[in-house]
Amino acid sequence: MSSARWGWRRLLGAALAVSAAVTVVTAGGAQAASTKAVDTSDNHEMGAAIRAHDGVPSPGAVPSSVDASVPGIDVSSYQGNVNWASYWSAGKKFAYVKATEGTGYTNAYFTQQYNGSYNVGMIRGAYHYGRPDLSGGAAQADYFVAHGGGWSKDGKTLPGTLDIEWGPNSACYGLGTSAMVAWIKAFSDEYHKKTTRWPVIYTATSWWSQCTGNGGDFSSTNPLWVARYASSAGTLPYKWGFYTFWQYSSTPIDQDSFSADISRLKVLATG
């Protein structure tokens, strides 16, 4: 599946009542520098490792394949205090905000970013940067839920996302493929236990193939957020037949696209 329109058709046919399986495509990339002071301890903003690893340019315009979709962005402490009204005026309808990393880091700007996006009218969610080298998946899911990653059935809160990609010290955090699959499953199961929602999984196809060995199938439960900075989403990670979000650019801030219209995004938020 290389285009958002196919994700939309699959959404229509997949089962509107099963929100856990609703998938959307989001596009985003590197965050633009903020004029505010930033928390320099947050070195792992979403997509940074993917950009560095793949070495691909980030197009500034929405790919032509993102035609029946909802535009959004994702941010971390790298952005500092975000001018949400300007992004809302520019047509961004949803946002994902970094909340946590491992079991010891929280985004210092989380409240401003998470509440600010909500207050201007966006549908928003939180994401966790996974660190399998530091602690277990369940422990990190607990930390995420306790520090902003929870979910409420208000129609404006998306299920939390697990950002799992190349690590700061090694690509696969020192884990073998079966151990990585087990770590991701432990995070996913614990998040579901605490919130009743399956977390979205943000990743790149190349990382997933390398670090899971295509040994785990999360396609029936976890919506996919695929990262690829190109004119199409390309080949998707193992077993996912379509994507829910596509991160397609980092110019001038991480650009995301949901694979269907706004009514479907609200369904994903409602649960």
Side-chain angles (χ1 to χ4, degrees):
M1 202 105 36
S2 61
S3 109
R5 66 173 64 92
W6 285 108
W8 166 232
R9 290 171 185 170
R10 289 293 300 273
L11 272 170
L12 281 175
L16 300 181
V18 183
S19 62
V22 172
T23 7
V24 179
V25 182
T26 321
Q31 290 95 2
S34 169
T35 56
K36 306 289 186 180
V38 299
D39 179 359
T40 56
S41 66
D42 186 5
N43 296 319
H44 310 129
E45 85 273 15
M46 181 174 279
I50 289 173
R51 291 189 296 276
H53 184 273
D54 288 350
V56 289
S58 300
V62 178
S64 59
S65 58
V66 183
D67 49 7
S69 59
V70 181
I73 58 174
D74 61 81
V75 299
S76 70
S77 69
Y78 186 78
Q79 277 68 53
N81 290 321
V82 175
N83 183 347
W84 289 108
S86 68
Y87 286 109
W88 178 257
S89 296
K92 305 303 182 183
K93 300 302 182 185
F94 73 91
Y96 263 104
V97 177
K98 181 174 181 178
T100 52
E101 177 176 332
T103 53
Y105 170 85
T106 58
N107 174 6
Y109 293 90
F110 180 77
T111 299
Q112 191 276 343
Q113 294 173 350
Y114 193 68
N115 293 342
S117 54
Y118 180 96
N119 289 338
V120 298
M122 291 186 185
I123 297 173
R124 49 79 158 117
Y127 78 86
H128 173 82
Y129 187 96
R131 291 292 303 272
D133 55 330
L134 299 179
S135 54
Q140 292 195 28
D142 287 340
Y143 186 78
F144 179 42
V145 171
H147 294 85
W151 175 77
S152 58
K153 193 171 183 176
D154 57 5
K156 293 187 69 176
T157 302
L158 294 164
T161 289
L162 169 63
D163 173 4
I164 190 73
E165 54 181 285
W166 286 275
N169 301 314
S170 64
C172 304
Y173 303 89
L175 298 186
T177 56
S178 59
M180 181 61 75
V181 170
W183 192 96
I184 295 169
K185 187 176 188 303
F187 183 100
S188 180
D189 288 350
E190 183 70 5
Y191 187 83
H192 182 264
K193 177 182 176 181
K194 289 294 178 65
T195 67
T196 74
R197 302 302 307 275
W198 296 105
V200 176
I201 293 179
Y202 167 96
T203 195
T205 301
S206 52
W207 182 91
W208 194 264
S209 297
Q210 177 183 350
C211 296
T212 72
N214 295 330
D217 181 3
F218 294 85
S219 63
S220 64
T221 52
N222 302 76
L224 171 65
W225 184 351
V226 65
R228 184 171 189 259
Y229 309 132
S231 59
S232 72
T235 301
L236 301 180
Y238 180 68
K239 287 293 185 178
W240 271 291
F242 57 99
Y243 55 86
T244 297
F245 297 97
W246 175 19
Q247 187 184 78
Y248 62 88
S249 176
S250 61
T251 305
I253 195 171
D254 282 359
Q255 303 289 329
D256 303 304
S257 174
F258 177 77
S259 64
D261 64 26
I262 192 68
S263 68
R264 303 308 306 154
L265 184 63
K266 291 177 179 177
V267 168
L268 184 63
T270 303

